[in-house]
Amino acid sequence: MEERKYKAGKILLVAVKTAIGASLAIYLAECLRLQFHTSAGIIALLSVLTTKWGTLKLSLLRIVTFLFTAAACWLLLQYFRGDWIGFGIFLFFLVGICEWLDLRGTVSVNAVIATHFMTVRDFSVEFVCNELLLVLLGVTIAFVLNLFQGNRTYQKMIIENMRYTEQQLQEILEKLALYLEGESLESSVWDEIIAFEKELRGFVEQAWEYQNNTWHFHPGYYIDYFEMRLKQYGILHSLHYEIKKIRTIPAYAAVVADYIRYMKQYVVEMNRPDSQIQRLHGIIEGMKQEELPKSWELFEGKAKIYHILMDLEEFLICKKRFVEGLDEKKLRIYWNRE
């Protein structure tokens, strides 16, 4: 419900910013008595529909590529009487170069500017300045409006998704522990893992969007967090697969099930998994000191249990690497540690 509420608010904010930005750009262009003043609104519209960093980058690129557009129009359009021929040749070079340089986001605005040159056939300094002012007005207004992104609400939603992710991990680990104890489950853990992996990928995209809508560099914390959880879910794929392959569950499986229940309590954001890893190593050493199983089925089952323990270790190492990658600034901001 909260996520739907945020999406509705986001759509409303984009609609308001687009309407205000486009209208204001047209009004200012009209006040400056610029030709094709309505195009300033189109340029603002095309620029509002991006993130803060995206707007800044795209605005600079549009100004730079404007120079290419003006030069290309002067070279091509004045030599072709048919508008459609000259414009087609211009677009051929424009799209080709922009695709080659990964500047496709600048194509639309430059195409609009080219239609102006094609319409008036004026390549004077005054008209070039007119077109440049249209671009500057549109991108500047879009940049200012994109400073308002509702990041606090977005950050709140991301944190809620982090708690939700941890809850899902804990529930799946509990079901895997039940598997090891030989209990049957009504729901399919495999399907749950696959379904939630898709949600996690969406959370990663949201974290990227949040980072691109703030001037701070440390929000990469959220991206790293969700990518770490995504890796852990990948490990759960392997873990669940190994558990289902066990034909005869050995007695040592109960120890592993108890450990999983112990470990799941620490599947939280602010935890260093050193103690969990140390306890896991103790279980592995204890398993090594046991006598070898006498039957092939028990030996196979114990080998799979050992593989499960290795998966659990990798699960914890993912979190350990995440924690080790945190600098003092991130720890202070997100873990409240001085």
Side-chain angles (χ1 to χ4, degrees):
M1 180 63 71
E2 287 296 327
E3 189 167 344
R4 290 182 179 179
K5 183 178 178 181
Y6 171 77
K7 287 182 178 179
K10 180 181 177 181
I11 292 171
L12 179 61
L13 180 62
V14 170
V16 170
K17 289 194 298 183
T18 302
I20 293 175
S23 301
L24 184 59
I26 293 173
Y27 172 73
L28 293 176
E30 194 173 22
C31 290
L32 294 172
R33 297 184 179 181
L34 299 178
Q35 295 185 58
F36 303 104
H37 58 272
T38 54
S39 294
I42 301 299
I43 295 170
L45 181 152
L46 294 171
S47 302
V48 165
L49 302 178
T50 56
T51 60
K52 284 182 181 179
W53 281 107
T55 302
L56 179 60
K57 179 181 177 181
L58 193 58
S59 297
L60 295 174
L61 289 174
R62 281 174 174 167
I63 293 171
V64 172
T65 55
F66 167 82
L67 301 176
F68 165 78
T69 298
C73 288
W74 177 76
L75 288 171
L76 296 172
L77 297 181
Q78 64 177 326
Y79 296 111
F80 294 94
R81 294 184 179 180
D83 290 343
W84 62 276
I85 297 177
F87 189 64
I89 294 175
F90 166 78
L91 283 182
F92 172 80
F93 286 105
L94 175 66
V95 174
I97 292 173
C98 288
E99 286 291 330
W100 180 266
L101 299 176
D102 196 22
L103 301 175
R104 61 182 61 90
T106 65
V107 171
S108 55
V109 169
N110 286 316
V112 170
I113 297 301
T115 60
H116 299 170
F117 282 111
M118 183 177 65
T119 301
V120 300
R121 302 283 177 169
D122 184 358
F123 301 99
S124 64
V125 174
E126 290 78 8
F127 188 73
V128 171
C129 289
N130 179 91
E131 298 303 290
L132 179 59
L133 284 173
L134 289 176
V135 175
L136 289 173
L137 267 177
V139 299
T140 300
I141 290 173
F143 174 75
V144 172
L145 288 175
N146 269 347
L147 295 176
F148 304 94
Q149 293 287 350
N151 281 339
R152 289 186 179 180
T153 303
Y154 207 178
Q155 186 181 34
K156 180 182 177 183
M157 184 187 71
I158 287 175
I159 293 173
E160 289 174 354
N161 289 338
M162 292 168 72
R163 302 292 86 81
Y164 172 67
T165 298
E166 292 158 5
Q167 180 184 355
Q168 292 297 308
L169 271 170
Q170 291 170 4
E171 290 179 1
I172 289 176
L173 286 169
E174 174 63 27
K175 291 177 180 179
L176 294 178
L178 290 172
Y179 259 41
L180 285 172
E181 293 175 341
E183 295 192 26
S184 59
L185 301 176
E186 296 181 0
S187 59
S188 172
V189 179
W190 185 265
D191 292 338
E192 290 179 14
I193 292 173
I194 293 175
F196 192 69
E197 268 193 317
K198 294 180 180 179
E199 287 190 77
L200 259 178
R201 295 185 190 281
F203 296 162
V204 172
E205 292 177 3
Q206 290 171 2
W208 273 106
E209 184 176 350
Y210 175 75
Q211 175 168 299
N212 289 331
N213 274 321
T214 179
W215 300 123
H216 303 295
F217 292 95
H218 56 75
Y221 172 86
Y222 295 125
I223 298 171
D224 295 338
Y225 174 86
F226 284 117
E227 287 183 343
M228 176 268 296
R229 294 303 188 196
L230 192 58
K231 290 177 183 177
Q232 288 185 322
Y233 263 86
I235 294 170
L236 289 183
H237 273 289
S238 175
L239 184 61
H240 178 251
Y241 182 68
E242 291 297 327
I243 290 175
K244 291 198 69 175
K245 287 197 301 182
I246 298 176
R247 297 177 185 178
T248 303
I249 298 179
Y252 210 79
V255 177
V256 179
D258 288 340
Y259 175 78
I260 290 176
R261 289 198 174 93
Y262 154 77
M263 185 189 74
K264 77 170 190 177
Q265 304 173 63
Y266 299 94
V267 180
V268 292
E269 177 188 1
M270 300 177 190
N271 173 64
R272 296 178 182 269
D274 297 331
S275 298
Q276 291 79 59
I277 292 175
Q278 184 177 1
R279 181 164 173 173
L280 179 62
H281 288 167
I283 293 175
I284 294 173
E285 288 300 318
M287 186 177 178
K288 289 179 179 179
Q289 293 174 7
E290 286 192 337
E291 294 183 4
L292 290 175
K294 296 180 180 180
S295 69
W296 170 254
E297 286 189 351
L298 290 175
F299 180 82
E300 184 182 33
K302 187 171 183 179
K304 287 183 170 56
I305 289 293
Y306 183 78
H307 197 289
I308 289 168
L309 292 173
M310 294 298 98
D311 286 340
L312 291 174
E313 182 181 34
E314 184 62 28
F315 183 91
L316 293 170
I317 288 175
C318 282
K319 179 62 184 298
K320 183 177 181 179
R321 289 170 181 161
F322 167 74
V323 176
E324 289 175 347
L326 301 178
D327 56 29
E328 292 301 320
K329 183 176 182 181
K330 287 181 180 178
L331 286 172
R332 185 175 66 253
I333 293 173
Y334 298 100
W335 287 29
N336 297 318
R337 292 184 178 180
E338 296 296 336

